[in-house]
Amino acid sequence: MASVFPLADLRRSNTPRAWLNSIIKGDCVAALEALPDKSVDMIFADPPYNLQLGGALHRPDQSLVDAVDDEWDQFASFEAYDAFTRAWLLACRRVLKPTGTIWVIGSYHNIFRVGATLQDLNFWILNDIVWRKTNPMPNFKGRRFQNAHETMIWASPDPKGKGYTFNYDALKAANDDVQMRSDWLFPICSGAERLKGEDGKKIHPTQKPEALLARCILSASKPGDVILDPFFGSGTTGAVAKRLGRNFVGIEREQDYIDAASARIAAVQPLGSNELTVMTGKKAEPRVAFTALIEAGLLKPGQVLISEKRRHTAIIRADGTLVSGDDSGSIHRVGARVQGLDACNGWTFWHYEERGKLKPIDALRGVIREQMAKLG
Amino acid sequence: MASVFPLADLRRSNTPRAWLNSIIKGDCVAALEALPDKSVDMIFADPPYNLQLGGALHRPDQSLVDAVDDEWDQFASFEAYDAFTRAWLLACRRVLKPTGTIWVIGSYHNIFRVGATLQDLNFWILNDIVWRKTNPMPNFKGRRFQNAHETMIWASPDPKGKGYTFNYDALKAANDDVQMRSDWLFPICSGAERLKGEDGKKIHPTQKPEALLARCILSASKPGDVILDPFFGSGTTGAVAKRLGRNFVGIEREQDYIDAASARIAAVQPLGSNELTVMTGKKAEPRVAFTALIEAGLLKPGQVLISEKRRHTAIIRADGTLVSGDDSGSIHRVGARVQGLDACNGWTFWHYEERGKLKPIDALRGVIREQMAKLG
DNA sequence: ATGCGAGCTGAATCTATGA
DNA sequence: ATCATAGATTCAGCTCGCA
């Protein structure tokens, strides 16, 4: 079982990070306040949606729709909901690292208030993501469009929004080599994945699909990161985090949910490190100075570099700069100047000739990087 | 030409509904205040989004992205934007019939503030609708998900939300006899539909596609209804309303936009009553991400994929990439690398084993595509 | 005519690092 | 904190020129 921490015990504990990979039992804001500053890499929050339901809803066959009418989803007014939202988001902001990010999921009942509050608290929205449901509940009265999606907001606590983890290259590689879009398609959580009690009834009314959490976690965290869920519920965040080699912290008030989540997480088998390696692109590779190519003898001072369509040439100087007519400087600067542009990636712009063929000097970086790799 | 009404002239006019099928030139709120109470059946509003752009943005080929940096999109703060939003929504509420509805479109920059303000003003949200773009602009720096959608809020001024027009059956009939969902797929406005000046440049930076307006108007109004657009711009709302046999009123400040919209609307030929059927959108694109197979549980991280003649193998990683020896990346890239080729279709190259037999992973796409096809 | 390839463009809150 | 510099980064669809 994942360990459970009554909040009072956690406050008394002297062990640093005793809360790691455990569920803190208590009020969301109070529990957050017991965690250290800047201790969490990613937050996934599935707060109460503040549904404002009228009477009971029946299907066309007169069966009753099992509505979310739990006590924890009741708020007296929008003002009360806003105050609640502000409080837990502020508490989240403190425990989140400046390079961390937060996800909040909601529907049209609450997501506008959550989004506005995030902005008011100076979070910086990176994307809004639409979860399109393959199998949403129909609209039984035929008075609206079928409500077939929910919305997630992905935001950085830093208004400049830099330095956060985003596994762009892995997402693109996994998506037929095109960028991952802001609209995602997943089934709702049902079947074997849906936690049920001995009576066969669902344990939690709004259990989220693991695939949704997996996409969020794989997008915006690294193995070993700490992922916090302040409304832990049935523990989907914890189960997926564990499976994907991340650490988790959950906060939950209701003992029934804690029991179910704890058992669920205990049964999760983490993936091995080979399966968890994150695909990275050029950005993550070690830098290679242009002079390293000269020092390694792959290029020589006096040698001519050529642009792809042979429109421009430049000569390599011994100090690792280029000269082309009146322009001189780095491979990037000269590449930009000869084209009349502000910027240029010299590694892909400049080519060298080998047996009559032009190859980008970028290819030579690979040789250097292989040498570096051998040295450890 | 559609008639244009300087606001001062409208105020002096004694003719009832002189403003019908015309463009009122003036400030949004002031013009709304010149219209009678409860005179409008539907409002479509495309307010400024309050984009907060940093410096210039260049594409990878160094060309400049033509940003929306117009004066009308500049606000000093969220407070200023909220005050603006509140003012025009309040003015809209007065002119809207109790049985009417309002649509507001926006992006994550402004839609949360709009939605919260609607709720604060006691509008009743009926749906939030996602416009999924078939051809959105990419994210050039690879630091976010491609922003591939915008959001519309559809709301009633009556908190009980009764009596409004919703052409449920027509929408369902036009949608393969299943309910119309809250996620719609349309291309952005480009090509011949995009209004351009003599210089070939776009007249308006944010012209919306007619198909989008047609879906809204056909969903929530009847022929002969009055449709108001308080941010008329290039007049898409007016053009589509006229074509669909509805009356329109537009409000716009800028003379250039008024001129273009006026000429555009004059050229519109209204449809006959027989032809006023619901337009259908595009079908969902068939692309299936490799991750979708993992997310659906059809393949698992750690599982081995095999080439047809069992010459090559690769292991599936959790992020949806493959690894084979030193090579890693998308199914296509790894397929190419292990064969020493430039390109490879990973869908047909890689196989999974089932009861001793190899089947191409492409077969699993069929399962996913069936799900997607159901969504229309 | 038809096909092909190069070029252009769309509501965009779009970098990381070291001095 | 600012500033300079290295160098990484795009998808779908339309238009136009040319074979």
Side-chain angles (χ1 to χ4, degrees):
Chain A
M1 308 282 272
S3 66
V4 178
F5 250 114
L7 182 49
D9 294 2
L10 175 59
R11 286 187 176 129
R12 278 195 298 269
S13 169
N14 290 320
T15 317
R17 308 223 297 176
W19 41 270
L20 212 58
N21 297 308
S22 73
I23 305 172
I24 304 171
K25 178 171 180 175
D27 169 73
C28 168
V29 173
L32 283 166
E33 285 171 353
L35 296 179
D37 286 7
K38 302 178 184 178
S39 54
V40 158
D41 296 287
M42 193 189 111
I43 297 175
F44 184 93
D46 183 11
Y49 283 13
N50 190 26
L51 300 182
Q52 292 151 62
L53 307 176
L57 177 65
H58 294 267
R59 296 189 176 83
D61 65 4
Q62 301 306 319
S63 67
L64 183 67
V65 175
D66 184 16
V68 177
D69 54 1
D70 303 71
E71 169 271 326
W72 49 253
D73 199 42
Q74 308 299 319
F75 292 85
S77 63
F78 284 129
E79 289 69 30
Y81 188 80
D82 291 346
F84 162 77
T85 302
R86 197 179 165 84
W88 72 259
L89 280 175
L90 265 176
C92 279
R93 161 184 271 297
R94 186 186 58 79
V95 303
L96 190 58
K97 292 182 187 173
T99 56
T101 54
I102 182 170
W103 298 79
V104 189
I105 186 167
S107 66
Y108 66 81
H109 307 86
N110 71 322
I111 198 66
F112 304 122
R113 315 208 74 88
V114 168
T117 304
L118 277 166
Q119 291 178 316
D120 289 342
L121 295 181
N122 216 22
F123 282 87
W124 192 245
I125 297 178
L126 297 167
N127 279 112
D128 60 334
I129 299 288
V130 176
W131 167 29
R132 304 173 54 221
K133 302 178 185 184
T134 57
N135 48 352
M137 193 184 293
N139 180 286
F140 294 115
K141 302 285 188 199
R143 294 297 293 143
R144 305 181 183 200
F145 298 93
Q146 182 183 31
N147 190 12
H149 74 276
E150 296 189 23
T151 301
M152 293 187 290
I153 300 174
W154 182 45
S156 156
D158 181 343
K160 288 172 214 142
K162 297 205 191 291
Y164 56 88
T165 297
F166 180 54
N167 297 313
Y168 174 80
D169 296 289
L171 287 159
K172 183 174 172 179
N175 191 40
D176 246 22
D177 288 325
V178 293
Q179 298 186 331
M180 190 67 79
R181 296 168 45 113
S182 56
D183 52 338
W184 302 356
L185 183 68
F186 292 109
I188 61 174
C189 182
S190 65
E193 187 184 321
R194 188 85 196 220
L195 298 188
K196 288 174 188 128
E198 292 177 5
D199 54 3
K201 288 189 179 161
K202 57 193 175 197
I203 297 269
H204 193 280
T206 67
Q207 184 179 342
K208 295 295 177 289
E210 295 198 358
L212 185 73
L213 267 292
R215 174 86 58 92
C216 296
I217 290 173
L218 287 167
S219 300
S221 74
K222 301 185 288 286
D225 277 358
V226 178
I227 298 178
L228 164 72
D229 186 335
F231 305 98
F232 205 56
S234 58
T236 308
T237 302
V240 177
K242 181 178 175 188
R243 182 160 56 80
L244 296 177
R246 276 73 168 170
N247 298 292
F248 72 90
V249 203
I251 300 172
E252 179 54 53
R253 286 190 308 192
E254 313 260 341
Q255 189 63 47
D256 288 351
Y257 298 159
I258 292 175
D259 292 342
S262 180
R264 173 187 188 184
I265 293 166
V268 169
Q269 196 65 33
L271 291 171
S273 59
N274 287 339
E275 289 101 280
L276 290 176
T277 305
V278 177
M279 154 100 196
T280 55
K282 278 188 183 176
K283 276 177 188 159
E285 291 188 64
R287 292 198 172 198
V288 173
F290 181 63
T291 44
L293 306 192
I294 301 171
E295 287 153 3
L298 298 169
L299 294 174
K300 298 202 188 311
Q303 188 174 346
V304 175
L305 296 183
I306 310 163
S307 70
E308 189 172 14
K309 298 186 179 168
R310 297 182 185 269
R311 247 178 242 163
H312 307 286
T313 60
I315 297 167
I316 301 174
R317 295 197 291 207
D319 63 357
T321 59
L322 299 188
V323 58
S324 177
D326 291 341
D327 298 317
S328 68
S330 72
I331 53 172
H332 313 296
R333 183 184 155 84
V334 175
R337 294 295 292 275
V338 298
Q339 296 179 93
L341 296 175
D342 286 342
C344 166
N345 182 345
W347 289 107
T348 52
F349 178 74
W350 293 112
H351 295 61
Y352 65 99
E353 194 150 12
E354 196 178 64
R355 277 169 274 155
K357 280 193 163 179
L358 291 185
K359 293 187 179 178
I361 57 174
D362 196 32
L364 298 174
R365 268 201 301 193
V367 179
I368 301 285
R369 286 195 175 123
E370 275 177 37
Q371 291 176 354
M372 292 168 68
K374 278 182 200 159
L375 304 178
Chain B
M1 309 283 271
S3 66
V4 178
F5 250 114
L7 182 49
D9 294 3
L10 176 61
R11 287 189 175 127
R12 278 193 299 268
S13 169
N14 290 320
T15 318
R17 308 225 296 176
W19 40 271
L20 212 57
N21 298 310
S22 73
I23 305 171
I24 304 171
K25 177 172 180 176
D27 169 72
C28 168
V29 173
L32 283 166
E33 285 170 354
L35 296 179
D37 286 7
K38 303 178 184 177
S39 54
V40 158
D41 295 288
M42 192 189 110
I43 297 174
F44 184 92
D46 183 9
Y49 285 13
N50 188 26
L51 299 185
Q52 293 155 62
L53 306 177
L57 178 65
H58 294 266
R59 301 167 205 270
D61 66 2
Q62 303 300 329
S63 66
L64 184 68
V65 174
D66 184 17
V68 177
D69 53 2
D70 304 72
E71 170 272 327
W72 50 253
D73 199 44
Q74 308 299 321
F75 292 84
S77 62
F78 283 131
E79 289 69 31
Y81 188 81
D82 290 346
F84 162 77
T85 302
R86 199 179 165 86
W88 73 259
L89 280 175
L90 265 176
C92 279
R93 163 183 267 297
R94 187 185 59 78
V95 302
L96 190 59
K97 293 181 187 173
T99 56
T101 53
I102 181 169
W103 298 80
V104 190
I105 186 167
S107 65
Y108 66 82
H109 311 85
N110 71 323
I111 199 67
F112 303 121
R113 315 207 74 89
V114 169
T117 304
L118 277 165
Q119 292 177 317
D120 289 342
L121 296 180
N122 217 22
F123 282 88
W124 190 249
I125 297 178
L126 298 168
N127 279 110
D128 60 333
I129 299 288
V130 176
W131 167 28
R132 304 173 52 223
K133 303 179 184 184
T134 58
N135 48 353
M137 193 187 294
N139 181 287
F140 294 115
K141 301 293 185 193
R143 293 299 292 145
R144 304 181 177 200
F145 298 94
Q146 183 183 31
N147 190 11
H149 73 276
E150 295 189 22
T151 301
M152 294 187 291
I153 300 174
W154 182 44
S156 156
D158 181 342
K160 289 170 214 144
K162 297 202 191 298
Y164 58 88
T165 298
F166 179 56
N167 298 314
Y168 174 81
D169 294 306
L171 287 160
K172 184 172 173 181
N175 192 40
D176 275 356
D177 286 325
V178 293
Q179 296 185 338
M180 189 67 79
R181 296 166 47 106
S182 55
D183 51 339
W184 302 356
L185 184 68
F186 292 109
I188 60 175
C189 180
S190 69
E193 188 184 322
R194 188 86 195 215
L195 298 189
K196 287 172 188 132
E198 291 178 5
D199 55 2
K201 288 188 179 163
K202 59 191 175 197
I203 296 269
H204 193 281
T206 71
Q207 186 180 342
K208 295 294 177 290
E210 295 198 358
L212 185 73
L213 267 292
R215 173 82 60 87
C216 295
I217 289 172
L218 288 167
S219 301
S221 75
K222 299 186 288 286
D225 277 359
V226 178
I227 298 178
L228 164 72
D229 186 335
F231 305 97
F232 205 55
S234 58
T236 308
T237 302
V240 177
K242 180 178 174 189
R243 181 159 57 82
L244 297 177
R246 275 73 169 172
N247 297 292
F248 72 89
V249 203
I251 299 172
E252 177 55 52
R253 287 190 307 189
E254 314 257 345
Q255 190 62 46
D256 289 351
Y257 298 160
I258 291 174
D259 293 343
S262 181
R264 173 187 188 183
I265 293 166
V268 168
Q269 196 65 33
L271 292 173
S273 55
N274 291 336
E275 299 144 331
L276 292 181
T277 53
V278 177
M279 310 290 149
T280 56
K282 293 197 70 152
K283 293 292 175 190
E285 78 279 20
R287 183 192 299 286
V288 173
F290 181 63
T291 38
L293 307 191
I294 303 171
E295 287 151 359
L298 300 171
L299 295 174
K300 298 203 186 312
Q303 188 173 345
V304 176
L305 296 183
I306 310 164
S307 67
E308 191 170 14
K309 299 188 178 166
R310 297 183 185 269
R311 247 179 243 162
H312 307 285
T313 62
I315 297 168
I316 301 173
R317 294 197 291 207
D319 61 3
T321 59
L322 300 189
V323 58
S324 177
D326 291 340
D327 297 317
S328 69
S330 69
I331 53 173
H332 312 298
R333 182 184 154 83
V334 175
R337 294 293 294 273
V338 297
Q339 297 178 92
L341 299 175
D342 285 342
C344 163
N345 181 348
W347 289 108
T348 51
F349 178 74
W350 293 110
H351 295 61
Y352 66 101
E353 193 151 10
E354 195 177 64
R355 278 169 272 154
K357 280 195 165 180
L358 292 185
K359 294 185 180 179
I361 57 175
D362 198 31
L364 297 174
R365 272 204 294 194
V367 179
I368 303 286
R369 285 221 170 99
E370 272 177 40
Q371 288 183 350
M372 294 172 71
K374 280 184 203 158
L375 304 182

